[in-house]
Amino acid sequence: MVFLGPSELAVAAAMMLAGSTVLSTVGFGIGMTSTPVLLLVLEPQTVVVMINTVSLALFVLIMFQARRHLPAREMIPVSVAGLLGVPVGVFILSSASTGVLRVSITAVIILLAIGVASNLRGPISRSRLMGPPVGFVVGVLLAATGIGGPLMALLLLARDWPRHAVRASLSLYFLLVEGAAVIGYGLTGMFTPERVSLILIVTIPVLLGFGFGTVLVRRMN
């Protein structure tokens, strides 16, 4: 990866500001929001590593905000299944070509966008038996593409949990799964000096986005 110029850095910072605002507001969506534009200026592997790494601080902050509303017992099986999917996703990200990753990430964005827009929630999604399978699939998607949150959000929204319970549950799941993915990225040598520098640069707009999201969530039903 060649280190980015000022214009590329500005785009990356702006997209991470937008994505972190969305995530801090509804508990997911940083990848769906920022990735389409980021792929125009960054290689896919860099986008995924950056998003999953900088998101960890946001999940910790959201967990602290909504910790009293966390249905931990219900989320433990889902989170464990997600952790099992992480090695598969890390392997895909570390071994797939740039072209394959770019096409795959774009396809995931389109499919999940259709699912969210169609509000795909059926009676089967309310079953607790669906939690672990969905958790595993999302774990693979997050580690490999940085995207998958909408699928997990649809599962939790189908259970009619309060908004703070949904935000806290999503944050717990993402913190565990993406934290494990970041460890995998480190073990497979994906943290190059250029990527580490980029992550440090976009941390400031990410934290600003958390502040904006905290204000917005208070005004939403």
Side-chain angles (χ1 to χ4, degrees):
M1 171 185 171
V2 179
F3 196 71
L4 303 176
S7 59
E8 289 85 358
L9 289 175
V11 171
M15 287 301 98
M16 295 309 296
L17 173 63
S20 62
T21 300
V22 172
L23 185 150
S24 301
T25 303
V26 299
F28 71 98
I30 186 171
M32 292 283 288
T33 303
S34 60
T35 298
V37 177
L38 288 176
L39 286 177
L40 299 176
V41 297
L42 298 173
E43 58 181 345
Q45 195 178 81
T46 298
V47 172
V48 176
V49 171
M50 177 181 66
I51 288 176
N52 283 342
T53 303
V54 299
S55 298
L56 297 181
L58 297 178
F59 298 136
V60 171
L61 293 171
I62 295 172
M63 278 287 297
F64 180 77
Q65 282 184 336
R67 62 192 182 279
R68 297 179 181 177
H69 306 275
L70 176 65
R73 181 176 299 178
E74 290 83 353
M75 288 305 299
I76 288 175
V78 181
S79 300
V80 171
L83 290 172
L84 294 176
V86 168
V88 180
V90 172
F91 174 76
I92 293 172
L93 182 65
S94 62
S95 59
S97 66
T98 298
V100 170
L101 284 173
R102 196 178 299 275
V103 172
S104 300
I105 292 172
T106 303
V108 170
I109 291 173
I110 293 172
L111 292 175
L112 290 179
I114 292 172
V116 172
S118 304
N119 196 23
L120 288 179
R121 293 184 292 171
I124 192 170
S125 64
R126 295 182 175 87
S127 171
R128 291 190 176 183
L129 296 177
M130 286 300 298
V134 172
F136 178 83
V137 171
V138 175
V140 175
L141 289 175
L142 284 174
T145 68
I147 300 166
L151 185 58
M152 180 58 62
L154 288 173
L155 176 75
L156 299 185
L157 289 172
R159 299 180 178 183
D160 296 321
W161 286 352
R163 59 175 177 167
H164 291 301
V166 172
R167 288 179 77 236
S169 299
L170 289 171
S171 296
L172 173 65
Y173 175 85
F174 293 146
L175 179 61
L176 294 175
V177 170
E178 294 186 19
V182 167
I183 294 174
Y185 301 155
L187 293 176
T188 52
M190 284 189 273
F191 280 111
T192 64
E194 293 82 4
R195 287 172 182 162
V196 172
S197 298
L198 179 60
I199 289 168
L200 293 175
I201 290 171
V202 301
T203 297
I204 294 177
V206 164
L207 294 177
L208 288 175
F210 172 77
F212 294 149
T214 299
V215 173
L216 289 173
V217 75
R218 295 171 183 167
R219 302 174 181 271
M220 297 177 66
N221 59 32

